[in-house]
């Protein structure tokens, strides 16, 4: 028997190194027992040399690229198979790489379930960590937060906070380990117990924010509890408001209805929109259909982009469980035509789809942001990337498009689209060609934006980028075929 003891922190790296050594020796999974230091198990660890002689060494272990992100997440799972299952699968993959595509395989299904649960936990941590200010020195403010995750996700998730809150010093304490970010350096160390945290002004801020974004007309208690599970409420300052807000929701809706402005007649509205009068009252009504959403979006003033754009460019195409493509925002030609991906980037997109055998007519094509953002330069309108606030404001429409079409698979074309559906727009090249999950659990295929092909530079570089993008579309076509089987 081989007994492997991993450290409490840095376990993923240690597992990788041990797994590689074991694979090289050819140690079959059933002879390996894994555990974390200090967590019980057999007293006598180490490799049994007598046994080792019986194994067939693997000269060059092969690790499929798609396996690593799944395994790295599964290692953080709190279940008993967190280390043994990835190793078992890795060992099996040496003989047959195609196992990973077989979702009915028990090990693959279990690994994916573990990955999903860890990913969700990480999403929840990003959403529900609440910092409290504890003073500070110089111009760096200092904050502390307490969070109780389901899995061992602190090491995995802390870098997100380091990027997001780079200008302050902070500590996130979880049962067993704490992440400390001091003067731009992140460190993780073991710790016990919950820190003393003052009930400070930041809590009031959260409560005010929550009160303001709470829309009683959209209240769905079940959906809210699934988005913000009750187990997190005790550490969320704003959660104290929830019972009160739910109780008052019906009355508030009545008051909102009574206070609604009188709307212009549809005829007056048509005339006003034709003459460019865009400050239509935003309807409070949540649309019941995609068509209704599209029609409301025509008068969208959720961010400032409507002021200079010609019109809202809403999504179009197949609306029943489609393959959904999401771009960044309409370009110059899309802004004039009122349809997504009809300009130069659209041509690259169409050609790649055709070569990969994907029928655009059977897809729903849309953008993360529905108005063209540009900078006038002479007679030209130069594309400007939308900022996060604009993407978030426009997510209202994207969420409605997703809600009404229920896509079976989403394709994020570029960083803005990836950010809009996964909350993470970083490192698009590293994530390219991979399947991730959106916050509502729809698979998301990540690739580059087709306009990046046009910006590649020399004709050779453009040809290369075009071929790589087409290859992504072929991978997508295979993923689609997998979904069907
Ligand atoms: N770029 C996009 O992201 N979307 C379009 O519709 C056109 C260009």
């Amino acid at each position: 028997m081989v007994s492997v003891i991993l450290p409490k922190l840095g376990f993923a790296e240690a597992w990788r190194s041990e797994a590689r050594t074991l694979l090289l020796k050819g140690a079959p999974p059933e002879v390996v027992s894994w555990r974390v230091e200090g967590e019980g198990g057999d007293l006598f660890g180490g490799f049994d040399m007598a046994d080792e002689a019986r194994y067939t060494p693997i000269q060059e272990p092969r690790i499929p690229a798609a396996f690593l992100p799944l395994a790295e997440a599964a290692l953080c799972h709190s279940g008993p198979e967190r280390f043994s299952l990835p190793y078992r699968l890795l060992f099996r993959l040496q003989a047959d790489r195609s196992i990973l595509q077989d979702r009915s395989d028990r090990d693959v299904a279990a690994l994916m379930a573990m990955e999903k649960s860890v990913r969700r936990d990480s999403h929840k941590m990003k959403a529900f960590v609440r910092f409290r200010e504890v003073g500070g020195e110089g111009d760096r403010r200092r904050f502390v937060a307490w969070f109780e995750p389901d899995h061992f996700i602190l090491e995995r998730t802390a870098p997100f906070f380091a990027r997001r809150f780079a200008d302050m010093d902070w500590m996130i304490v979880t049962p067993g380990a704490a992440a400390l970010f001091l003067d731009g350096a992140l460190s993780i160390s073991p710790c016990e117990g919950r820190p003393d945290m003052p009930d400070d002004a930041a809590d009031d801020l959260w409560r005010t924010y929550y009160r303001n974004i709470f829309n009683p007309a959209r209240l769905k208690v079940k959906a809210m509890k699934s988005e913000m599970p009750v187990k997190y409420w005790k550490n969320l300052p704003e959660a104290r408001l929830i019972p009160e807000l739910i109780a008052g929701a019906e009355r508030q809706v009545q008051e909102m209805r009574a206070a609604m402005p009188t709307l212009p007649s549809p005829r007056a509205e048509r005339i006003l929109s034709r003459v460019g009068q865009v400050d239509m009252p935003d309807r409070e009504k949540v649309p019941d259909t995609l068509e209704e959403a599209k029609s409301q979006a025509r008068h969208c003033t959720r961010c400032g982009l409507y002021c200079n754009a010609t019109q809202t460019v809403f999504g179009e195409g197949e609306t029943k469980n489609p393959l959904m493509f999401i771009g960044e925002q309409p370009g110059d030609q899309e802004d004039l035509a009122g349809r997504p991906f009809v300009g130069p980037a659209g041509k690259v997109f169409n050609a790649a789809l055709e070569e990969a055998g994907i029928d655009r007519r059977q897809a729903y094509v849309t953008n993360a942001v529905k108005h063209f953002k540009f900078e006038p330069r002479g007679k030209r309108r130069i594309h400007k990337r939308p900022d996060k606030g604009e993407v978030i404001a426009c997510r209202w429409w994207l969420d409605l498009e997703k809600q009404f079409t229920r896509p079976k698979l989403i394709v994020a074309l570029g960083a803005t689209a990836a950010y809009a559906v996964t909350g993470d727009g970083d490192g698009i090249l590293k994530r390219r060609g991979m399947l991730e999950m959106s916050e509502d659990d729809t698979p998301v295929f990540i690739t580059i934006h087709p306009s990046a092909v046009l910006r590649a530079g020399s004709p050779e570089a453009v040809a290369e980028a075009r071929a790589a993008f087409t290859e992504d579309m072929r991978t997508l076509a295979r993923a689609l075929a997998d979904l069907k089987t």
Side-chain angles (χ1 to χ4, degrees):
M1 195 70 188
V2 184
S3 176
V4 183
I5 301 170
L6 299 173
K8 274 194 174 143
L9 295 173
F11 54 79
E13 215 181 305
W15 181 90
R16 273 198 304 273
S17 144
E18 295 287 353
R20 191 176 160 75
T21 310
L22 290 166
L23 270 190
L24 285 167
K25 291 177 195 286
E30 55 281 7
V31 306
V32 185
S33 94
W34 301 86
R35 71 183 172 88
V36 168
E37 61 187 351
E39 283 187 2
D42 24 328
L43 287 174
F44 306 101
F47 220 102
D48 185 330
M49 295 308 282
D51 281 349
E52 189 180 341
R54 296 208 313 264
Y55 311 144
T56 317
I58 298 172
Q59 306 292 355
E60 281 183 33
R62 294 182 312 172
I63 305 177
F67 171 78
L68 270 184
L70 289 172
E72 277 175 4
L75 296 173
C76 303
H77 198 273
S78 52
E81 290 230 275
R82 61 190 281 217
F83 303 124
S84 55
L85 176 74
Y87 183 67
R88 185 159 69 239
L89 195 51
L90 186 57
F91 192 83
R92 291 180 58 208
L93 283 166
Q94 304 310 304
D96 180 2
R97 281 170 75 102
S98 68
I99 301 171
L100 213 50
Q101 265 83 56
D102 181 4
R103 283 163 186 250
S104 62
D105 182 278
R106 278 182 61 180
D107 286 345
V108 173
L111 191 77
M112 289 183 133
M114 286 162 88
E115 186 268 345
K116 180 170 171 185
S117 174
V118 166
R119 188 163 26 81
R120 282 190 83 92
D121 203 27
S122 196
H123 268 313
K124 297 289 178 217
M125 180 168 178
K126 290 174 191 170
F128 297 138
V129 157
R130 295 290 180 264
F131 284 107
R132 293 181 184 188
E133 187 151 14
V134 288
E137 283 159 20
D139 51 6
R140 283 179 81 82
R141 294 165 71 193
R142 184 166 289 179
F143 295 82
V144 63
W146 166 253
F147 188 75
E148 295 167 59
D150 288 340
H151 303 295
F152 301 104
I153 55 165
L154 183 65
E155 285 176 273
R156 182 182 172 79
T157 317
F160 163 86
F161 291 93
R163 286 194 300 274
R164 171 77 63 91
F165 302 109
D167 59 342
M168 60 195 221
D169 292 335
W170 50 260
M171 176 156 60
I172 301 175
V173 188
T174 66
L180 177 67
F181 189 71
L182 210 53
D183 289 329
L186 177 65
S187 59
I188 316 270
S189 48
C191 85
E192 293 299 331
R194 183 192 163 124
D196 239 2
M197 294 196 296
D199 197 14
D200 76 351
D203 284 5
D204 282 341
L205 218 72
W206 272 111
R207 280 193 280 268
T208 310
Y209 168 73
Y210 193 73
R211 201 188 282 281
N212 282 326
I213 60 159
F214 181 82
N215 181 347
R218 298 192 66 209
L219 177 65
K220 290 198 181 105
V221 176
K222 214 167 134 206
M224 183 176 81
K225 285 186 175 164
S226 115
E227 271 301 298
M228 193 198 266
V230 174
K231 69 175 180 178
Y232 297 112
W233 288 18
K234 64 178 185 297
N235 293 320
L236 298 175
E238 69 270 33
R240 266 181 254 163
L241 289 177
I242 293 174
E244 172 201 327
L245 290 173
I246 291 177
E250 181 53 34
R251 183 182 42 77
Q252 251 186 294
V253 173
Q254 306 287 2
E255 284 171 8
M256 265 163 47
R257 232 176 248 144
M260 278 254 273
T262 324
L263 302 176
S265 71
R267 184 155 175 273
E269 194 169 282
R270 271 201 305 278
I271 295 168
L272 285 174
S273 65
R274 221 177 295 139
V275 295
Q277 169 91 43
V278 281
D279 56 343
M280 297 295 194
D282 215 352
R283 304 289 188 274
E284 280 296 340
K285 183 178 178 306
V286 178
D288 293 321
T289 62
L290 186 65
E291 270 313 304
E292 208 180 316
K294 180 175 178 173
S295 140
Q296 287 185 4
R298 268 192 253 134
H299 310 298
C300 178
T301 54
R302 288 179 169 263
C303 74
L305 295 184
Y306 73 95
C307 295
N308 296 322
T310 310
Q311 58 189 312
T312 307
V313 179
F314 208 72
E316 63 176 26
E318 171 62 51
T319 54
K320 271 205 201 97
N321 305 119
L323 167 64
M324 175 182 270
F325 287 94
I326 306 178
E328 183 193 79
Q329 58 163 341
D332 183 74
Q333 298 196 21
E334 288 79 11
D335 170 75
L336 299 172
R339 297 185 51 215
F341 283 104
V342 293
K347 292 204 171 73
V348 174
F349 175 60
N350 288 344
L353 287 189
E354 200 179 324
E355 282 198 42
I358 299 172
D359 185 351
R360 174 165 170 171
R361 286 167 309 179
Q362 293 187 356
Y364 184 87
V365 180
T366 191
N367 282 301
V369 169
K370 311 282 191 250
H371 280 122
F372 179 33
K373 180 173 181 182
F374 61 92
E375 202 174 80
R377 212 173 287 160
K379 284 191 180 161
R380 295 177 61 208
R381 303 189 296 171
I382 308 297
H383 161 274
K384 269 187 89 180
R385 196 171 181 177
D387 63 33
K388 282 193 177 166
E390 286 150 358
V391 176
I392 289 168
C394 217
R395 219 163 51 191
W396 167 254
W397 303 117
L398 188 62
D399 284 349
L400 287 169
E401 288 177 295
K402 280 161 57 189
Q403 179 190 320
F404 290 123
T405 62
R406 300 200 164 278
K408 57 178 175 253
L409 179 64
I410 293 175
V411 183
L413 298 164
T416 304
Y419 174 70
V421 277
T422 67
D424 180 2
D426 288 344
I428 206 77
L429 292 179
K430 271 191 286 171
R431 297 155 70 194
R432 171 177 199 176
M434 312 247 271
L435 273 184
E436 298 185 5
M437 284 291 169
S438 70
E439 283 165 13
D440 61 4
D441 278 342
T442 311
V444 181
F445 181 83
I446 310 277
T447 181
I448 57 156
H449 191 281
S451 66
V453 170
L454 300 171
R455 289 195 310 268
S458 67
E460 297 75 35
V462 168
E464 201 176 310
R466 193 186 293 277
F469 182 61
T470 305
E471 197 45 49
D472 280 359
M473 293 301 104
R474 290 204 182 95
T475 309
L476 170 65
R478 286 194 292 277
L480 264 182
D482 277 356
L483 269 185
K484 279 190 197 133
T485 53

